[in-house]
Amino acid sequence: MIKEGLHEFVEGRDEVVPYRGKYAVKTPDVFARVRERWARVGLDPASAYLPMRVEMELTTKCNDTCGTCGMGALPLAEGRTLTDGQIHFLLDQFASIGLPSLAVTGGEPFTAWRALLKVLEGAQERRIDISKLTTNGVWGTARRCGPVFERLEKAGFLDTRLFVPLLMLSIGEQTTPLEDVARVLHHAVSHYSDRELNVAVSSLADPATRVHRIDELIAVYEKTYGAFPHDRVHSTMRVYLNNVRLDAQGEVNRPGHTPVARWMDRCFDCFAPTVGAYILPTSLLKQNGDWYTCAAFNVPEKLAFGNLLRERATDVIGHANRSAYVARVRAGHGLKALHDVVPRSFTEQTPCTSFCDSCTLLIDRFDKETGQVTGRSSPSPLIPIAALLSRTDSTAGEGA
């Protein structure tokens, strides 16, 4: 399998090579084209944080009930899905800030099939690339697999301009039969080239055992289809983390106690414009409209700077750009920039279990040391959607 992180291209540092990396681009001048989009809507990336991709939580519903779901997915009867009106409104919001690409996730997006098609078709109309679609493969049965691919194609999933779309298959605690996941994988690599569609397997493990199911998937695939397509499949290896949305989730037992300082020093620059291995900067939009400057699903709540169902996207971006915490991390190329603010006695002696946990602790301590208040200080005011639509219509521009 193709190791995650291979072929990383950072703006100003590397020459971009098309069709390389998990999030491959189609053109070597991708950064120039993205900046042209922003300029057309009157935004200046030199003086402001702007996302190159939004990770959009289409639904919180899932056909499965993984006990330690890092995405905080809910059962079908409890979860919620964006409505048609909300989808169109959000896509107009994205167009108003010249957003280049969108990743669709959940929950399980294919439990919200009609809404998923609305997103794909609406993004195509607004010239916004779908750079990633995440799924557990629930639709990979012999009856559904081929027709679903055909409908995705008709909806414009493959009709991207800047990025090669990625289909991300997630395996871990899911009960989706690996035979169905293998069928989706086989159809993808046998019907489409790596210039049309990239494929990745996200293999999530229990942090206590570090056991991944990727070997099991490979065995199932090879039993039915022959040699596993290692040269086409990108690997994403992760462990399950706690998610605040799952009230009944048991505490994840992650062995070891790594100090905050070590997490800080190993944190990459999530604000540097990057393609190939990742698409950065990336933000997260939760199903309820809350917008975050980081796309991790256990993102600190203080990194929510507004609600895109209640406020203009340009205003929410303005909130983020007025944050002293975000500014410090941006300027210092990652969490290591906070060493100058947060005492070493705290960072070297305080243990935690992940980058996100360390970020949460650092925000609280940063605010204490500087007297700042990170995040929105009060709930976003409710503005009628009709009024917001009139604002987004006046600023939306055509994409590259």
Side-chain angles (χ1 to χ4, degrees):
M1 297 177 71
I2 304 171
K3 183 180 180 180
E4 185 173 36
L6 199 63
H7 304 306
E8 177 180 273
F9 307 109
V10 181
E11 185 181 24
R13 194 182 74 187
D14 312 290
E15 179 182 353
V16 176
V17 180
Y19 302 106
R20 291 191 183 178
K22 186 167 70 174
Y23 299 107
V25 299
K26 293 185 171 183
T27 174
D29 63 345
V30 61
F31 293 120
R33 294 196 182 198
V34 168
R35 291 183 179 276
E36 287 172 6
R37 295 174 68 97
W38 288 331
R40 276 199 292 271
V41 296
L43 296 174
D44 179 11
S47 59
Y49 155 72
L50 292 170
M52 287 182 59
R53 184 174 78 180
V54 170
E55 191 98 10
M56 181 181 185
E57 187 182 52
L58 176 65
T59 181
T60 60
K61 296 180 181 233
C62 188
N63 57 291
D64 224 325
T65 53
C66 302
T68 53
C69 176
M71 300 168 79
L74 299 171
L76 293 173
E78 298 177 25
R80 299 178 64 87
T81 300
L82 290 168
T83 66
D84 289 359
Q86 289 173 328
I87 288 168
H88 288 302
F89 174 65
L90 288 169
L91 290 172
D92 284 341
Q93 287 267 53
F94 299 149
S96 76
I97 59 170
L99 183 73
S101 65
L102 186 64
V104 183
T105 186
E108 169 52 49
F110 285 84
T111 65
W113 177 234
R114 183 175 175 278
L116 173 59
L117 294 177
K118 290 287 184 184
V119 171
L120 298 181
E121 293 164 350
Q124 171 68 7
E125 291 170 2
R126 294 163 179 81
R127 301 173 70 84
I128 300 171
D129 282 2
I130 301 297
S131 60
K132 181 176 73 170
L133 176 56
T134 300
T135 178
N136 62 23
V138 62
W139 47 281
T141 62
R143 181 179 65 87
R144 293 184 64 196
C145 184
V148 167
F149 267 107
E150 291 175 6
R151 188 63 184 90
L152 290 175
E153 196 170 338
K154 183 179 178 181
F157 178 45
L158 303 183
D159 298 330
T160 53
R161 296 164 180 82
L162 299 176
F163 301 95
V164 177
L166 173 75
L167 183 65
M168 174 76 81
L169 293 163
S170 179
I171 60 174
E173 291 182 314
Q174 293 93 328
T175 59
T176 299
L178 290 182
E179 290 80 4
D180 293 346
V181 177
R183 183 177 292 108
V184 172
L185 186 59
H186 179 67
H187 189 104
V189 301
S190 60
H191 285 75
Y192 307 100
S193 73
D194 59 2
R195 291 190 167 219
E196 297 173 296
L197 179 66
N198 268 343
V199 186
V201 174
S202 176
S203 181
L204 300 172
D206 184 312
T209 63
R210 299 287 175 145
V211 173
H212 288 267
R213 297 181 70 194
I214 188 62
D215 292 333
E216 186 181 351
L217 174 63
I218 291 173
V220 168
Y221 186 100
E222 293 188 336
K223 181 179 179 180
T224 305
Y225 304 107
F228 188 84
H230 289 280
D231 61 336
R232 283 292 309 276
V233 181
H234 295 262
S235 172
T236 298
M237 309 295 275
R238 294 285 187 269
V239 294
Y240 285 100
L241 298 172
N242 295 315
N243 193 294
V244 296
R245 194 158 62 197
L246 298 179
D247 295 334
Q249 179 176 318
E251 184 72 17
V252 173
N253 176 28
R254 183 167 185 167
H257 297 281
T258 304
V260 169
R262 188 175 179 191
W263 292 111
M264 293 168 68
D265 292 337
R266 297 175 64 183
C267 179
F268 61 90
D269 186 353
C270 63
F271 290 116
T274 306
V275 296
Y278 314 98
I279 299 175
L280 300 172
T282 299
S283 63
L284 171 67
L285 178 73
K286 289 191 176 180
Q287 183 276 333
N288 64 1
D290 285 346
W291 182 86
Y292 301 76
T293 55
C294 179
F297 273 81
N298 49 340
V299 59
E301 281 301 316
K302 285 190 175 182
L303 291 183
F305 289 96
N307 187 293
L308 292 188
L309 292 173
R310 295 172 177 260
E311 300 172 86
R312 291 190 309 171
T314 50
D315 292 338
V316 179
I317 285 176
H319 299 330
N321 280 294
R322 287 189 291 273
S323 165
Y325 183 84
V326 170
R328 171 72 66 159
V329 175
R330 280 187 67 205
H333 307 290
L335 294 179
K336 58 182 176 292
L338 301 171
H339 281 306
D340 294 336
V341 180
V342 179
R344 288 273 184 174
S345 58
F346 174 82
T347 61
E348 293 178 355
Q349 297 175 21
T350 304
C352 62
T353 61
S354 68
F355 287 109
C356 294
D357 288 346
S358 71
C359 192
T360 299
L361 294 168
L362 287 166
I363 293 172
D364 291 342
R365 192 56 187 251
F366 178 89
D367 287 356
K368 179 180 178 181
E369 296 290 333
T370 63
Q372 302 288 331
V373 178
T374 299
R376 54 190 176 198
S377 56
S378 60
S380 308
L382 179 61
I383 301 175
I385 282 185
L388 280 169
L389 279 173
S390 66
R391 299 186 198 176
T392 57
D393 288 345
S394 66
T395 56
E398 290 190 0

